[in-house]
Amino acid sequence: MGQRAAARKGRSRSRSRRGTARRRTTGPIVLLGICLALLSVGAGAALAHWRGAPPARTVADGREPEVSPLMSAAASPETGSPSPSKSPERSPETEPKPSPSPSKSRKPSVPASGPGTFTAAQSSGEATGDSGTLRRYRVEVEDGTDVSARQAAAEIQQILAHPRGWAANGRGRFQLVSSNADFVIKIATPATADKLCLAVGLNTHGELNCETVEGVVVNLKRWLLGSPTFAGTPAEYRHLIINHEVGHEIGIRRHMGCPGPGRPAPVMMQQIKGLNGCVSNAWPYDDEGTYLIGPPA
């Protein structure tokens, strides 16, 4: 009995050692298999994610990003091109608002009267024109009108040098001077203009310009605002003022009427009193150098 018990005990210990050995051998194999399986699943998921949504490329040099074969393979079946992502909708707070439109420019304020004193433009220029009598003129602006005498003189100088003007077509030469002038162009308030024009028997009613013994009187209202009958800007109407009054200065005494409906009004027509079917015009000549005339008014 003792030997059998010892033998059984020995066989039991041998089986226990073999079981322990099997467990020690099987455990690492199982763990290795599990790790390999997890790595395989992770790699497949990562590849599938990359194929479905390739990483965006930053375009730093202004060129379009290159399209790889894998990116082409991700094209949508309907269009054959990558499916565009939908841009987020703007919220009312981020929606761009239109900029306010600029306010319309207001008409300049015209003082009804002034002190009756004038400031002369201290500037001079070259003679304009190639033939005819040289007439030197000085420009003066009534004080307190906010009109620069120098700027007004420069503008009048340009008007008299216009290709459709008197000087460019042989009707005389004109030169801006600051002293020793042959005639003076004065820009005056309506009340002062009326006084200067009335001195030679002309009633301008606070609205009109005139020619006097000394030279030309320009009503400030007309200089700044133009005329309600003239289809053009005040700057264009200033051409008509100067050309009309200088026309008197060079010897054209009589006014003209409209030569016919739709035709340009002569510069010697009193266009502020109505056009009678003519078209507004601020120059003595047309583009071809033809003098624009009409019947005596």
Side-chain angles (χ1 to χ4, degrees):
M1 290 295 292
Q3 292 178 350
R4 291 192 187 106
R8 287 195 299 271
K9 187 175 180 180
R11 287 193 296 271
S12 174
R13 288 177 179 178
S14 177
R15 286 194 296 269
S16 175
R17 284 194 297 270
R18 287 197 298 270
T20 302
R22 282 195 297 269
R23 286 194 298 271
R24 288 176 180 175
T25 305
T26 304
I29 294 173
V30 172
L31 290 174
L32 179 60
I34 292 172
C35 290
L36 290 173
L38 290 173
L39 288 172
S40 176
V41 171
L47 181 60
H49 174 75
W50 188 88
R51 284 179 176 174
R57 176 185 171 192
T58 302
V59 182
D61 57 1
R63 295 191 297 270
E64 290 295 326
E66 298 176 358
V67 180
S68 68
L70 286 175
M71 290 176 70
S72 298
S76 63
E78 291 84 2
T79 62
S81 59
S83 302
S85 60
K86 185 178 180 181
S87 59
E89 295 182 358
R90 295 179 182 269
S91 64
E93 291 77 10
T94 60
E95 193 71 28
K97 298 179 180 180
S99 57
S101 57
S103 59
K104 295 182 179 179
S105 58
R106 296 180 179 178
K107 289 184 178 181
S109 176
V110 181
S113 61
T117 57
F118 291 82
T119 295
Q122 299 301 310
S123 53
S124 59
E126 298 294 329
T128 299
D130 297 326
S131 60
T133 302
L134 175 63
R135 293 177 174 87
R136 294 166 296 182
Y137 64 95
R138 184 173 69 250
V139 175
E140 298 181 358
V141 176
E142 187 172 4
D143 298 326
T145 60
D146 289 332
V147 173
S148 166
R150 186 179 185 87
Q151 290 179 2
E155 188 168 357
I156 292 171
Q157 189 177 27
Q158 291 178 353
I159 292 172
L160 291 175
H162 194 278
R164 294 175 60 183
W166 299 116
N169 291 275
R171 297 298 291 269
R173 294 180 296 144
F174 303 94
Q175 184 178 12
L176 172 66
V177 295
S178 57
S179 60
N180 299 322
D182 297 310
F183 70 100
V184 180
I185 299 175
K186 290 188 174 183
I187 301 175
T189 59
T192 302
D194 281 351
K195 182 178 180 180
L196 294 174
C197 295
L198 192 59
V200 292
L202 300 173
N203 191 345
T204 48
H205 307 285
E207 297 288 338
L208 306 177
N209 316 294
C210 75
E211 185 214 9
T212 67
V213 176
E214 187 179 12
V216 173
V217 176
V218 178
N219 189 310
L220 178 68
K221 186 175 183 180
R222 301 278 74 87
W223 182 264
L224 294 178
L225 303 181
S227 166
T229 63
F230 186 83
T233 64
E236 292 172 329
Y237 188 72
R238 290 197 278 270
H239 281 259
L240 176 57
I241 293 173
I242 298 302
N243 286 324
H244 182 97
E245 300 303 335
V246 171
H248 288 314
E249 188 68 28
I250 64 176
I252 305 174
R253 299 299 173 188
R254 298 190 64 178
H255 290 129
M256 298 180 185
C258 175
R263 297 180 64 179
V267 78
M268 297 312 298
M269 178 179 175
Q270 291 179 296
Q271 297 181 40
I272 194 172
K273 295 183 177 180
L275 296 172
N276 298 324
C278 270
V279 178
S280 299
N281 168 58
W283 298 277
Y285 296 83
D286 64 14
D287 290 328
E288 297 178 355
T290 301
Y291 183 43
L292 300 172
I293 62 173

